[in-house]
Amino acid sequence: MSFVATILGSSGVFATVDRASSGYLVDVDGHPLWMDAGAGTWRNLLGHLDYPELEGVILTHRHPDHTSDIWQAVHAFQWGQKEQLAPIPLWTTREAMAALSAFSTDLGNVFDLRPVGPGDVVSFAGAEISFFEMKHIPGTVGVRIEYAGKTLAYSADAGPSGNLPELAANADVFICEATYLKDEAGDWDGHLNAAQAARVAQDAGAKRLVLTHLHPKKDHGRSLNEAQAVAPGLRVELAYDGLRMEVDA
Ligand SMILES: [Zn+2]
Ligand SMILES: [Zn+2]
């Protein structure tokens, strides 16, 4: 039994030299699932597996920093070998599916499109995946994956008023967005700062908090300090591309 998550991209809003945009590889006992497909995550994914091995994809919402590399997969599945690969499931919200399919109907030719929304539960390789409403743009879901008694939770992009407590409840690993710094004027309420992420994690009883969706123009050391200040007993760290986390450790 193994349950491992690897960060493919940890940058918020746009990719940088050091960080791809949002993306994660979840391995459930040898079954790979790609969760969010931000710019640069396709290349990083290929460092871990050959794409025909992929068994499923989740896109949390339509924003390009979470979806743009899905088109790399579409081309690879279509044109990377003599015959198009058999479709694998792609779970996303109806809103994201409509937006992406409007760009190219190839999405539905390559993937087995499965719409999901808050409250839905699907199975993947013996794991149970549930979806939660996040306060971001309409059609954004947080993702909770439970396998063999262990839990991985991912906030997607989320403001403070979404269903974060249920998403993160007793998670062994909680990957949470922390786009902002504390007390900065003009921030949108569709994202969190690191202190808010830490408060959610602590109140929910999460065991390990990994701060991600780090804004390219912000001080990430300050983010970490702000998180540690509100939750001194919590294990908290900054995501980086390539970070491998054993959820079942
Ligand atoms: Zn984003
Ligand atoms: Zn977004």
Side-chain angles (χ1 to χ4, degrees), residues 17 19-20 75 87 109 111 125 127 132 154 175 179 205 210 248:
V17 171
R19 297 176 187 274
H75 271 204
N109 294 331
F111 293 107
F132 294 81
Y154 168 46
I175 302 171
T179 310
V210 181
D248 55 353

Side-chain angles (χ1 to χ4, degrees), residues 113-128:
L113 297 180
R114 301 188 185 183
V116 289
D120 286 344
V121 181
V122 304
S123 25
F124 174 82
E128 189 172 272

Side-chain angles (χ1 to χ4, degrees), residues 24-26 31-35 54 56-58 91 124 129 145:
Y24 307 88
L25 176 62
V26 181
H31 300 275
L33 173 74
W34 184 18
M35 186 163 68
L54 266 179
V57 180
I58 293 174
W91 292 279
F124 174 82
I129 305 179
I145 305 178

Side-chain angles (χ1 to χ4, degrees), residues 11-13 22 61 63 65-66 136 156-157 177 179 191 213:
S11 190
V13 191
S22 291
H61 63 301
H63 274 157
D65 59 321
H66 298 251
H136 189 58
D157 283 0
E177 79 124 284
T179 310
H191 285 299
H213 204 266

Side-chain angles (χ1 to χ4, degrees), residues 92-138:
T92 191
T93 61
R94 282 184 176 75
E95 293 88 340
M97 203 173 285
L100 293 167
S101 299
F103 179 70
S104 170
T105 51
D106 284 348
L107 191 77
N109 294 331
V110 167
F111 293 107
D112 174 6
L113 297 180
R114 301 188 185 183
V116 289
D120 286 344
V121 181
V122 304
S123 25
F124 174 82
E128 189 172 272
I129 305 179
S130 39
F131 298 91
F132 294 81
E133 181 146 37
M134 294 293 109
K135 170 80 167 75
H136 189 58
I137 53 164

Side-chain angles (χ1 to χ4, degrees), residues 111-197:
F111 293 107
D112 174 6
L113 297 180
R114 301 188 185 183
V116 289
D120 286 344
V121 181
V122 304
S123 25
F124 174 82
E128 189 172 272
I129 305 179
S130 39
F131 298 91
F132 294 81
E133 181 146 37
M134 294 293 109
K135 170 80 167 75
H136 189 58
I137 53 164
T140 302
V141 285
V143 183
R144 180 179 171 98
I145 305 178
E146 294 173 61
Y147 179 68
K150 298 290 180 175
T151 300
L152 170 71
Y154 168 46
S155 67
D157 283 0
S161 67
N163 197 1
L164 287 160
E166 227 181 299
L167 171 81
N170 301 311
D172 295 280
V173 176
F174 178 31
I175 302 171
C176 188
E177 79 124 284
T179 310
Y180 294 141
L181 294 167
K182 237 171 115 180
D183 302 326
E184 289 196 319
D187 288 347
W188 177 40
D189 67 358
H191 285 299
L192 297 169
N193 62 49
Q196 289 170 317

Side-chain angles (χ1 to χ4, degrees), residues 16-61:
T16 66
V17 171
D18 299 320
R19 297 176 187 274
S21 282
S22 291
Y24 307 88
L25 176 62
V26 181
D27 188 294
V28 180
D29 217 14
H31 300 275
L33 173 74
W34 184 18
M35 186 163 68
D36 275 351
T41 59
W42 171 254
R43 287 187 66 186
N44 289 343
L45 179 87
L46 296 180
H48 297 278
L49 49 78
D50 196 7
Y51 63 87
E53 296 165 30
L54 266 179
E55 295 186 25
V57 180
I58 293 174
L59 299 176
T60 59
H61 63 301

